[in-house]
Structure formats: structure tokens, C-alpha cells
Amino acid sequence: MKIFLDTGHLEEIRQAVDLGVVDGVTTNPTLAAKEGRPFRELILEMCQLLKEGVVNAEVVSTETEGMVREARELASWHPNIVVKVPMTRDGIRAAHILKEEGIRSNVTLVFSPAQALLAAKAGAYFVSPFLGRLDDVAENGLGVLREILEIYRAQNFSTQVLAASLRHPMHVVEAAQMGSHVATMPFKVFEQLFSHPLTDRGLETFLKDWEKARPVLGEILEPTKSRNTTRQR
Ligand code: E4P
């Protein structure tokens, strides 16, 4: 499963990319608006940070023609840009046209298996079911993701399922378990994936034990000159 960061914040992307496990970024108009800078500049910096990874940038027109024109423009900025279009009649029509033109689309704001079926039929590259927002209205986000994945497998669709609006590590773990192609998450959730108190406690003990036995164990690395000096003192 690919891991995407759901953010508009370059510093978060820089830190996550540095760890070597991030495959792409998703943005939306709300996330972009928070950054207070020109959209094109922001998206291009993201592309630079991601290197091979994809950057998902969303159109803001609401009718097909405008969406397609914006999509062509966005896609011309960088080869790794995937264009997000909303799950509306116009959005689906736009996804179909973009497919014909060889522009990758991500049908976003998907909340049901029926909508995901249409996104695949339109030839979307990604489909983005919003799990957390479903949970917020007392529906079952993970349940909807499971149904979408079942349909896609049964129909052999090539559209990749991008689990979005993830709010906690178990959303990510369960999406992976179900075979979601991608999970996109806020930086906070990405950081939570690293944490386990037993890891911290275990490491603390290992280091304490090593320190006690250091005179016998010696060093793993050849001591540097300066260390030698310190030791000899
Ligand atoms: C995905 O592409 C969306 O930007 C995102 O996952 C929305 O998440 P939210 O419900 O936390 O705003």
C-alpha cells in the first residue's frame, strides 16, 4: 500500500519524505488555502520534494468544461500531478474526458460504493472514499472502503482505491489489511504510525544495559580522534 500525506504544508512533506516511506501527497482547496501562497508555486515545490511521487491537485470549477480546462493546466505544470475532480455528474464526465486525453484523475468526495463504481467506469486513476467524514455522520467508513474494494476486485477495475479522510492509525492499518492501494493521512496520523510505548521502553533498557557493559563491549564504530582524546583525558 502506498502512503500519501494529506497536507498543504511543505515542511511536513519534507520531514516525511526524508524518512523514505512516503509515496505521494494529496491536497484539497481547504488545505491549499491554509498555506497563503500561490497554488502553482506550492504544488511545484511539492513535486520537487516528492521526486518520483505523485501530487494530487484539485480543480475548483463545478462544470465539466471548466474542470477539464483547469485539469489540462494543472497537468501541464508537472508530469507527476494527478488532477482531483469532485464526485458529481460534471466531475464524472470530466474524468472520462481526462482519461481519453491521458490525464490522470482522482475522483474525490466519494462516500458510497455506487459512486466508486461510477468513478471506475469513468476511468479515474484514483478513487477517494472519505472514511473519517463517514464516521463523523455515524456511518461506517471502513465498511464502505471494504465494499468498494470488493467491487473493484470482482470487476477487475484498474482504478486505484485511495483511502482518504483517515483520522487515526487503525484507519491506516485496516485499509492496508483490506488491500487498499493507497492511504492518505494527515502528518499527525503518519507520526502516530511510528509510536509504541514498548519500543521506547525497550530501547531505553537496551541502551542502559549497553552503557553498563561498555568497558567490556568496546565500540561498534572505530572511535574518532576527538573521542580518543576525551577518553585519554
Ligand atoms: C483527500 O484527498 C482529502 O484531502 C482528505 O483526506 C480529506 O480529509 P478530511 O476529512 O480530514 O478533511
Side-chain angles (χ1 to χ4, degrees):
M1 183 179 76
K2 289 181 197 125
I3 291 184
F4 286 4
L5 224 53
D6 194 29
T7 186
H9 200 58
L10 293 174
E11 189 45 40
E12 292 181 349
I13 298 172
R14 204 168 281 124
Q15 284 183 39
V17 164
D18 184 55
L19 292 160
V21 289
V22 168
D23 305 289
V25 163
T26 48
T27 62
N28 62 41
T30 305
L31 292 171
K34 281 188 199 157
E35 299 309 305
R37 56 185 297 190
F39 188 48
R40 183 174 191 272
E41 200 181 282
L42 181 69
I43 293 294
L44 285 178
E45 278 205 46
M46 287 181 184
C47 291
Q48 224 170 15
L49 290 174
L50 263 304
K51 298 191 177 78
E52 300 303 305
V54 297
V55 174
N56 289 260
E58 190 159 341
V59 299
V60 287
S61 280
T62 52
E63 21 61 65
T64 305
E65 200 200 319
M67 286 183 196
V68 170
R69 282 177 37 222
E70 286 181 7
R72 287 181 191 136
E73 175 61 25
L74 290 170
S76 76
W77 292 352
H78 196 282
N80 295 346
I81 290 173
V82 176
V83 180
K84 289 173 79 176
V85 295
M87 177 55 232
T88 57
R89 282 177 170 74
D90 283 81
I92 287 296
R93 203 180 295 122
H96 175 68
I97 295 169
L98 295 175
K99 168 77 179 170
E100 308 257 280
E101 293 188 10
I103 294 174
R104 292 179 293 179
S105 72
N106 172 349
V107 175
T108 189
L109 290 166
V110 165
F111 294 96
S112 75
Q115 292 179 324
L117 174 62
L118 295 174
K121 292 291 294 175
Y125 186 72
F126 291 130
V127 62
S128 293
F130 278 30
L131 276 56
R133 292 192 194 187
L134 279 165
D135 293 354
D136 289 346
V137 294
E139 289 193 41
N140 182 354
L142 283 166
V144 168
L145 177 66
R146 181 174 293 111
E147 286 179 84
I148 294 172
L149 286 164
E150 270 173 26
I151 292 169
Y152 275 37
R153 278 188 207 115
Q155 299 296 330
N156 216 7
F157 286 143
S158 58
T159 302
Q160 295 180 47
V161 179
L162 192 164
S165 183
L166 304 183
R167 301 274 161 81
H168 50 75
M170 284 315 289
H171 267 156
V172 181
V173 170
E174 298 213 29
Q177 216 169 357
M178 284 179 210
S180 188
H181 304 88
V182 190
T184 190
M185 66 207 76
F187 187 66
K188 183 179 157 238
V189 174
F190 174 68
E191 286 209 298
Q192 286 172 329
L193 297 180
F194 284 85
S195 309
H196 200 290
L198 291 179
T199 305
D200 300 341
R201 215 181 305 159
L203 183 59
E204 207 181 310
T205 310
F206 287 162
L207 294 180
K208 247 191 238 155
D209 293 343
W210 178 275
E211 201 47 48
K212 273 187 253 158
R214 182 166 240 143
V216 177
L217 293 167
E219 304 290 337
I220 294 175
L221 290 177
E222 196 65 20
T224 62
K225 238 184 177 183
S226 66
R227 265 207 188 142
N228 262 342
T229 328
T230 326
R231 270 198 163 177
Q232 280 158 10
R233 255 194 261 137

